[in-house]
Amino acid sequence: MKRYVALAFMLATSLNLKAQHSLEKLWETDSVINLPESVLPDTKAGILYASVMGNNPNDKDGIGGVAKLSITGKMINHDWITGLNSPKGLGRFGNTLYAADLTDVVVIDMVKGKIKLKIPVDSAKFLNDITVSDKGIVYVSDSRTKRIHRIEGSKVSLYMENVNGVNGLKAIGDELYIAGGKTLWKADAQKKLTKIAELPNGGDGIEPVGNGDWLFSCWGGYVYYVHADGKHELLLDLHLEKKNTADIGYDPVKRIVYIPTFWKKSVMAYQLK
């Protein structure tokens, strides 16, 4: 009997080891981006879009924008979009790019490389992450007011409030996934919240792996793998290097994670294994 118990334990241990994940560094740009906060990959076009905050994440100074890089990290155009303030999260629907720019959501024509519209969000103080549903509905978080706003067309409405530490968002079908402080939440179509996981550090970017699991970045320099059952693994710890891990982008086909480093002014790419 002891022999069978030992074999079962060894098998369980082996399966658990196989379930562990890791990140292998592929490349990192030089310090060529003026405060990158978010990276959004366009894998078909082979382009990375990176938000350029400028000198400060809080300033309405008109020196922010959006940069274009190749999928391998080569700078294409740092000043692809200019005249913004301190843009952070980026979201896309078709050929339209949305940027969360402190108090406005900026709508960009990706083909022409021009700003189409700026949508002011009433009472906004620090718009942070942004996501777009498959129906074209935009959700944007405001980390200072603890609110999430919903935009349909150019009409803004309050979607949810009193979400402590709200930052990262991801719309999937009728559900909205939310990084609220150290908690990863799921809001259903009726806005009912369900806790998915509790992490050691507050979340910045969240990306679905595609199997019910998640990647969860924390600005302080951490990236976690979050299982659908709420368990998590620490994939990356760069806090001693003082490298921030802000609003990540993810290629679910090639399993590549793109990480903006904020104050280090670079973008990194890691292979998820």
Side-chain angles (χ1 to χ4, degrees):
M1 183 66 181
K2 288 182 179 179
R3 180 182 174 187
Y4 291 115
V5 170
L7 285 171
F9 176 78
M10 289 173 64
L11 178 60
T13 303
S14 174
L15 289 172
N16 185 56
L17 287 173
K18 288 180 181 178
Q20 297 298 305
H21 297 82
S22 63
L23 288 177
E24 180 182 292
K25 193 171 186 179
L26 300 176
W27 52 259
E28 181 175 359
T29 69
D30 292 331
S31 298
V32 293
I33 306 170
N34 199 12
L35 260 63
E37 199 279 336
S38 179
V39 176
L40 181 71
D42 180 347
T43 55
K44 278 189 176 181
I47 291 172
L48 301 176
Y49 295 93
S51 56
V52 180
M53 289 187 294
N55 295 335
N56 191 294
N58 302 290
D59 290 350
K60 278 197 167 187
D61 51 17
I63 65 171
V66 180
K68 281 174 69 172
L69 298 86
S70 75
I71 210 80
T72 56
K74 181 181 178 182
M75 180 60 71
I76 297 172
N77 187 353
H78 183 275
D79 301 319
W80 178 62
I81 297 294
T82 59
L84 305 188
N85 293 306
S86 183
K88 295 170 182 64
L90 300 174
R92 180 183 179 184
F93 184 72
N95 288 320
T96 301
L97 185 70
Y98 296 87
D101 194 23
L102 283 181
T103 58
D104 302 296
V105 170
V106 180
V107 185
I108 299 165
D109 185 319
M110 298 172 71
V111 177
K112 295 180 180 179
K114 292 183 178 180
I115 296 170
K116 293 167 59 177
L117 180 67
K118 291 187 179 182
I119 304 172
V121 177
D122 186 46
S123 76
K125 293 183 179 177
F126 196 81
L127 297 181
N128 206 330
D129 199 19
I130 200 164
T131 186
V132 190
S133 76
D134 55 9
K135 296 176 183 176
I137 297 170
V138 177
Y139 298 89
V140 59
S141 61
D142 188 329
S143 298
R144 298 243 168 102
T145 63
K146 303 180 183 180
R147 291 173 175 172
I148 300 171
H149 300 276
R150 181 183 187 273
I151 303 174
E152 189 168 2
S154 59
K155 183 180 178 182
V156 183
S157 61
L158 178 63
Y159 173 79
M160 190 174 289
E161 58 185 341
N162 298 319
V163 184
N164 290 327
V166 65
N167 192 340
L169 303 175
K170 183 62 66 172
I172 301 177
D174 292 329
E175 297 171 336
L176 182 66
Y177 293 82
I178 304 163
K182 298 178 181 180
T183 307
L184 178 59
W185 298 96
K186 178 182 75 172
D188 64 16
Q190 287 73 45
K191 304 183 190 179
K192 179 184 177 182
L193 288 172
T194 302
K195 182 187 287 189
I196 296 175
E198 190 78 14
L199 283 296
N201 299 282
D204 196 317
I206 54 174
E207 288 292 333
V209 176
N211 59 355
D213 298 347
W214 288 82
L215 294 167
F216 187 100
S217 69
C218 307
W219 187 85
Y222 309 93
V223 178
Y224 293 89
Y225 188 100
V226 179
H227 295 268
D229 63 3
K231 294 178 181 177
H232 60 268
E233 309 167 33
L234 178 62
L235 297 180
L236 197 63
D237 179 356
L238 299 175
H239 83 280
L240 293 178
E241 298 178 40
K242 296 184 178 179
K243 276 188 178 179
N244 300 113
T245 47
D247 186 11
I248 55 175
Y250 182 60
D251 177 352
V253 176
K254 294 185 178 179
R255 293 171 67 85
I256 297 176
V257 187
Y258 300 99
I259 304 174
T261 64
F262 210 88
W263 296 116
K264 292 296 182 182
K265 301 185 177 182
S266 66
V267 170
M268 305 182 293
Y270 283 82
Q271 182 74 58
L272 175 63
K273 294 191 170 182

